[in-house]
Amino acid sequence: MDFQKHIVNNLQLANEKRIVAHNQYIEAETYLLECLGMTDFVANPDAYNVKTFKESFLETGRFDAEYYLPKYEDYCRLVQSYANGYESLGDACNIKDTNYTPEAGACYKYIELANIGKSGEITGCDLQDGENLPTRARRMVHQGDVIVSSIEGSLESCALVTNDYEGALCSTGFYVLQSSKLNPETLLTLFKSLPMQQLMKKSCSGTILTAISKPELEKLPVPIIRQEVQNEIAQHVQRSFALRKEAMQLLENAKITVEQAIEIGG
């Protein structure tokens, strides 16, 4: 019974840390939205818009009606009205899209969409030799990179690459971003926020597999968040990641302890 109580305590502590970690991330996102002026923001719900040919296709090259929904214009104006200014993503960020060819016989950590958690964390990876990796495993990531899904149905799958995944490979279904104007934690929180998610969804195109292309991604407006706000967001996100890592370690310790007890019979 003492042994069981020890395991229970570990699990309860892990759960408490997980909850606090989630709340820390929510606080970071809430703070960002407040700074963007979204506290009382309500986008236009109308499902129609009226555009001339010059204002639509000749300007954007897009014929799809959804692209011109009023709510997207509202989110765009919201970002562009940020007091500290904004830039296009192509100017504010470096999109690292150079392909990497895995070496045969070398073991790599491979990150897929299924490995991305709800709070911007990487929850795990596959360990595979270079010759066994799928052809889409062609993006090498480094600590401080932010990976953003390009697929419409999973745009919210964004994650910050920590030291645990330094040198890992990710799917070409991700864009790998880095910025000298936004710290990684702010970049992550920004891309998971409602305004950027809506603008990314607006820019998606395609038929069988709808996704956002690199040219469309580069045109997205990105607010250049004030440095003091970035620092505050970074503290919350770093705290969230640290607590989540502690929680996972407690769970792993509990599992190993039970396995050892079974093996030695006591």
Side-chain angles (χ1 to χ4, degrees), residues 79-183:
V79 171
Q80 292 175 343
S81 64
Y82 179 61
N84 201 48
Y86 75 97
E87 294 183 9
S88 66
L89 185 140
D91 292 330
C93 299
N94 174 31
I95 303 175
K96 301 163 67 175
D97 58 354
T98 303
N99 279 346
Y100 173 84
T101 303
E103 298 178 10
C107 185
Y108 295 92
K109 294 178 178 179
Y110 175 50
I111 304 165
E112 298 185 273
L113 283 172
N115 299 129
I116 307 302
K118 293 183 178 180
S119 297
E121 76 278 15
I122 299 173
T123 59
C125 64
D126 287 334
L127 290 175
Q128 297 189 32
D129 291 334
E131 64 271 23
N132 297 327
L133 285 167
T135 55
R136 60 183 180 275
R138 292 294 183 269
R139 298 280 189 270
M140 179 170 279
V141 298
H142 300 283
Q143 181 180 4
D145 288 342
V146 173
I147 55 177
V148 178
S149 171
S150 64
I151 312 301
E152 183 179 12
S154 56
L155 293 174
E156 72 281 358
S157 294
C158 311
L160 174 61
V161 179
T162 61
N163 187 54
D164 294 332
Y165 297 97
E166 170 67 30
L169 298 181
C170 73
S171 166
T172 51
F174 289 106
Y175 286 112
V176 182
L177 305 179
Q178 198 174 53
S179 175
S180 60
K181 299 179 180 180
L182 297 166
N183 64 39

Side-chain angles (χ1 to χ4, degrees), residues 218-250:
E218 289 177 325
K219 290 191 294 185
L220 292 180
V222 176
I224 306 303
I225 307 299
R226 297 194 311 274
Q227 192 58 54
E228 64 270 21
V229 175
Q230 291 193 48
N231 294 340
E232 184 75 17
I233 291 172
Q235 289 179 13
H236 283 295
V237 175
Q238 289 168 6
R239 178 66 173 157
S240 174
F241 274 54
L243 286 167
R244 188 172 288 105
K245 188 173 184 178
E246 290 174 15
M248 292 301 295
Q249 189 59 57
L250 284 167

Side-chain angles (χ1 to χ4, degrees), residues 162-205:
T162 61
N163 187 54
D164 294 332
Y165 297 97
E166 170 67 30
L169 298 181
C170 73
S171 166
T172 51
F174 289 106
Y175 286 112
V176 182
L177 305 179
Q178 198 174 53
S179 175
S180 60
K181 299 179 180 180
L182 297 166
N183 64 39
E185 295 83 3
T186 301
L187 196 60
L188 168 70
T189 310
L190 188 60
F191 268 90
K192 287 183 69 64
S193 69
L194 183 60
M196 293 305 296
Q197 283 287 304
Q198 288 292 316
L199 292 178
M200 287 178 69
K201 184 176 181 180
K202 168 192 176 183
S203 300
C204 287
S205 61

Side-chain angles (χ1 to χ4, degrees), residues 201-215:
K201 184 176 181 180
K202 168 192 176 183
S203 300
C204 287
S205 61
T207 51
I208 298 175
L209 187 63
T210 310
I212 180 169
S213 65
K214 183 180 177 182

